[in-house]
Amino acid sequence: MKAQAKTLKCENRTKLEEAIPLKIPFRIFIDPSDVCNFKCKFCPTGDRELMKKTPGRKFGLMDFSLYKKIINDICDFKEPIRLLLLYKDGEPLLNPHFADMVKYAKDKGCAQKIGTATNGTLLSYKKNLEIIKAGLDRITISIEGINKEQYKYFSGVSVNIDNMVDNIRHFYENRGNCEMYVKINGDILSIEERNKFYEIFGNIADKIFIESISPCWPEFELREVKVNRQMNMYGEKIKEVLVCPFVFYSFAINSDGTASLCHGDWSRKLVIGDVKCNTVKEIWNSKKLFEYQKMFLMKKRKNHPVCGNCGLVTHTQLDDIDIYSEKILINLMIRKGGL
């Protein structure tokens, strides 16, 4: 097997306790599409009835002119952000301008790296070459099963697996400098099925991993799939922290231009701005974001109606800054003129 069996967990991470407060975010999510061609049981976007009842869900595509405004705004920071992630709630490749989005950001030089995550079913030889030529640096492909029955169960749609694998192979063979990462939820897979996954994708990816099922969406109850309560998505023992680290180095911009505190804000209850009215820099330096950061540093997360039981904190966070919260709060207040 050519691929490394390892997660996207970043090695040699910057120590947040030494870096906060950041003048420039490390990463920004931009959602090209908050609609998806899948109806996955573990994702709120897959619940069409829920989406109809959720205020603020556009359930559509980001306008390319709005996207260009966002990228131009990001360029106002004194230096490029580390990572621009073109995905959030939906399937990004549904946006016909996806390759153009990558190229525009790449040409502007607003980010050191540009990445995306996709279910891979919309890849094609033509689209692959367009995306690679545009300059994408990293693509994560989420596999939902190793046979038609599993795919139908998890994604709610029928998938031509052979065709999908062929397109993924084509992307890999023509990827250039784009790093390819393939993963699957593996808690329900047998040993034989795990081996089959490695057999199929092990030689057409740079990194490959079988992860645990995680409750990544606040206030969205996973009823039809069982969450792993022992291991996080990186295969490590679950550890909960009181201070959410994400709000100190990232935020997300939804397909309609509203900005969310967190990339897990599917319900739009954590909106901190709107790029149609504010610049990206203004949102990053906004009072709304500052108030959330203070709330977390004062260790009041458990009292928040959305963030209190967030699975992102228990199953996907990589940083524990709880013991540094008081020091960070003082530094943050000094920067904001609060002391």
Side-chain angles (χ1 to χ4, degrees), residues 36-48:
C36 189
N37 59 327
F38 275 15
K39 301 176 183 179
C40 295
K41 297 178 182 297
F42 48 80
C43 176
T45 300
D47 189 333
R48 302 294 192 262

Side-chain angles (χ1 to χ4, degrees), residues 123-173:
L123 292 175
S124 66
Y125 284 17
K126 182 177 183 292
K127 187 168 292 187
N128 291 349
L129 297 178
E130 290 174 348
I131 294 171
I132 294 166
K133 184 179 179 180
L136 188 70
D137 295 293
R138 190 178 80 193
I139 184 169
T140 301
I141 301 173
S142 296
I143 303 300
E144 309 304 345
I146 61 165
N147 55 54
K148 293 181 179 180
E149 292 73 26
Q150 286 181 351
Y151 251 98
K152 182 68 174 179
Y153 175 75
F154 274 104
S155 70
V157 299
S158 297
V159 173
N160 185 325
I161 297 180
D162 291 339
N163 184 62
M164 180 188 70
V165 172
D166 181 56
N167 286 322
I168 292 173
R169 180 182 294 106
H170 177 267
F171 195 108
Y172 177 76
E173 292 172 347

Side-chain angles (χ1 to χ4, degrees), residues 216-234:
C216 295
W217 307 102
E219 295 191 300
F220 180 70
E221 184 180 355
L222 295 178
R223 297 173 182 172
E224 298 185 66
V225 291
K226 187 177 181 181
V227 174
N228 192 316
R229 300 295 180 184
Q230 306 299 319
M231 309 287 283
N232 66 18
M233 70 184 303
Y234 306 112

Side-chain angles (χ1 to χ4, degrees), residues 107-268:
D107 289 347
K108 285 291 184 177
C110 67
Q112 294 176 23
K113 289 188 176 183
I114 302 172
T116 194
T118 171
N119 59 43
T121 58
L122 298 179
L123 292 175
S124 66
Y125 284 17
K126 182 177 183 292
K127 187 168 292 187
N128 291 349
L129 297 178
E130 290 174 348
I131 294 171
I132 294 166
K133 184 179 179 180
L136 188 70
D137 295 293
R138 190 178 80 193
I139 184 169
T140 301
I141 301 173
S142 296
I143 303 300
E144 309 304 345
I146 61 165
N147 55 54
K148 293 181 179 180
E149 292 73 26
Q150 286 181 351
Y151 251 98
K152 182 68 174 179
Y153 175 75
F154 274 104
S155 70
V157 299
S158 297
V159 173
N160 185 325
I161 297 180
D162 291 339
N163 184 62
M164 180 188 70
V165 172
D166 181 56
N167 286 322
I168 292 173
R169 180 182 294 106
H170 177 267
F171 195 108
Y172 177 76
E173 292 172 347
N174 294 276
R175 70 194 185 285
N177 296 320
C178 183
E179 184 179 42
M180 282 189 67
Y181 179 86
V182 177
K183 64 186 182 74
I184 191 172
N185 284 322
D187 289 329
I188 68 162
L189 297 180
S190 66
I191 294 177
E192 291 77 12
E193 289 170 335
R194 286 170 175 249
N195 290 334
K196 184 68 174 178
F197 170 71
Y198 286 128
E199 179 185 328
I200 295 172
F201 297 101
N203 290 318
I204 55 174
D206 295 306
K207 294 182 181 180
I208 188 170
F209 189 67
I210 298 175
E211 64 184 16
S212 299
I213 295 177
S214 304
C216 295
W217 307 102
E219 295 191 300
F220 180 70
E221 184 180 355
L222 295 178
R223 297 173 182 172
E224 298 185 66
V225 291
K226 187 177 181 181
V227 174
N228 192 316
R229 300 295 180 184
Q230 306 299 319
M231 309 287 283
N232 66 18
M233 70 184 303
Y234 306 112
E236 301 168 337
K237 186 177 180 180
I238 289 175
K239 178 185 179 182
E240 187 168 21
V241 298
L242 291 176
V243 182
C244 172
F246 298 120
V247 301
F248 296 96
Y249 65 86
S250 70
F251 68 99
I253 300 174
N254 302 307
S255 65
D256 64 352
T258 56
S260 287
L261 175 73
C262 168
H263 58 285
D265 182 30
W266 65 270
S267 61
R268 307 297 189 267

